[in-house]
Amino acid sequence: QVQLVESGGGVVQPGRSLRLSCAASGFSFSSYGLHWIRQPPGRGLEWVAVIWPDGSQKHYADSVKGRFSISRDNSKNTVDLQMNSLGAEDTAIYYCAKDNHNILTGYFGTDYWGKGTLVAVSS
Amino acid sequence: DMQMTQSPSSLSASIGDRVTITCRASRDISTYLNWYQQKPGRVPQLLIYGASRLESGVPPRFSATGSGTDFTLIISSLHPEDFATYYCQESYSPPFTFGPGTKVAIK
C-alpha cells in the first residue's frame, strides 16, 4: 500500500534552516508529482510546493518562494524540502502528498498524504 | 494571485440533512477544482477532483458541480462520520491554492 513518511521536523530558532524529508513506498515513485502542504496548528491548509515526476519543474507558494527548495531522488524514493530563513509564520505541520495526475485529462488531486511532521519556529 | 473563498465558513446540521458548500475562485479555473475532507486530528482526504469526479472509495452521497469560478460540494444526506472541515483547492496552475475551509458541525 502507498506510504509516505515525513521526518526532520522539530523546534528551530527564527532565521535558521531545516530540511524535511519524505520517504515513499507502495507506488511507482518516479511517475507522480509530489507536494508539500502545511497546516498551522488549528488553522487551514496551505499548499507549499510541488515537484514534477522527473524533477523538471518545481513550483512554490509566494509565501515561501526564495526561501524553500523542493527536490527529489527517484533512485531513493524520497522528496525533500529545504527550508531557509524560517520565521514564526512557518510554524505548522508539514505534509508530504502524492498527486494522482491524469495525463489525459490534466486533472490531479493529492490522493495520499503522510501523517505530517511538526515544525515549530521559536526562540 | 489566485484567491479561493468558501461559504459558509461554518454550519450546523443534523444527521440526514442535505448540506451544500460553495467555493469561488478569483478567476476562471475551468473544472480544475478539488474537494477534501479533514476530520479532527486526521490527515485530509481527497473527495472530488476535476470539479465533479468522485475519488475512488468515496461514498456516493458526496457530489460536486461547477466550472469557471463557482463550485459546489453537496452531501445529500449527512452521516455522523461527515462532521469535518471541507476544503476546496484549485488545480489549474501552481500555486495550487486552498480555500479557507468550511466546518460542518453537529446541530
Side-chain angles (χ1 to χ4, degrees):
Chain A
Q1 71 278 23
V2 174
Q3 281 197 310
L4 298 161
V5 180
E6 303 92 340
S7 61
V11 180
V12 60
Q13 292 180 326
R16 303 299 291 265
S17 299
L18 204 60
R19 189 176 185 91
L20 305 182
S21 188
C22 173
S25 60
F27 64 100
S28 178
F29 184 80
S30 61
S31 297
Y32 294 95
L34 275 297
H35 303 247
W36 286 97
I37 295 160
R38 68 185 181 183
Q39 186 168 35
R43 295 176 60 186
L45 300 171
E46 181 184 13
W47 180 85
V48 174
V50 63
I51 186 167
W52 258 223
D54 60 359
S56 60
Q57 291 193 40
K58 307 172 184 181
H59 299 278
Y60 302 92
D62 287 348
S63 59
V64 306
K65 201 172 292 182
R67 300 188 299 123
F68 289 14
S69 178
I70 190 171
S71 60
R72 67 189 294 162
D73 186 335
N74 285 350
S75 68
K76 296 182 179 178
N77 288 8
T78 59
V79 57
D80 290 352
L81 185 69
Q82 175 67 41
M83 305 186 296
N84 299 330
S85 302
L86 286 162
E89 69 277 10
D90 298 313
T91 293
I93 298 172
Y94 284 73
Y95 297 102
C96 167
K98 164 194 169 293
D99 78 35
N100 62 354
H101 182 251
N102 183 309
I103 285 181
L104 294 178
T105 64
Y107 295 134
F108 84 90
T110 42
D111 57 353
Y112 289 93
W113 297 53
K115 292 188 185 325
T117 187
L118 178 63
V119 173
V121 184
S122 174
S123 54
Chain B
D1 275 355
M2 177 73 72
Q3 302 296 324
M4 304 297 293
T5 58
Q6 288 183 235
S7 62
S9 56
S10 64
L11 64 91
S12 296
S14 300
I15 302 300
D17 282 355
R18 177 183 175 91
V19 169
T20 300
I21 298 169
T22 63
C23 174
R24 176 165 288 176
S26 59
R27 60 177 182 266
D28 189 337
I29 57 170
S30 183
T31 52
Y32 290 88
L33 193 282
N34 303 326
W35 288 99
Y36 296 84
Q37 177 195 65
Q38 186 178 30
K39 299 176 184 178
R42 304 286 295 274
V43 171
Q45 177 189 0
L46 178 65
L47 298 177
I48 303 282
Y49 66 97
S52 62
R53 301 180 181 216
L54 204 65
E55 173 69 354
S56 176
V58 174
R61 64 180 179 274
F62 291 94
S63 65
T65 63
S67 66
T69 60
D70 294 315
F71 302 89
T72 302
L73 175 69
I74 298 167
I75 309 173
S76 60
S77 177
L78 204 62
H79 282 43
E81 59 268 31
D82 300 337
F83 292 97
T85 300
Y86 294 84
Y87 296 92
C88 62
Q89 179 200 29
E90 68 98 352
S91 58
Y92 183 78
S93 65
F96 299 119
T97 308
F98 284 93
T102 294
K103 184 174 182 179
V104 176
I106 300 173
K107 182 182 285 184

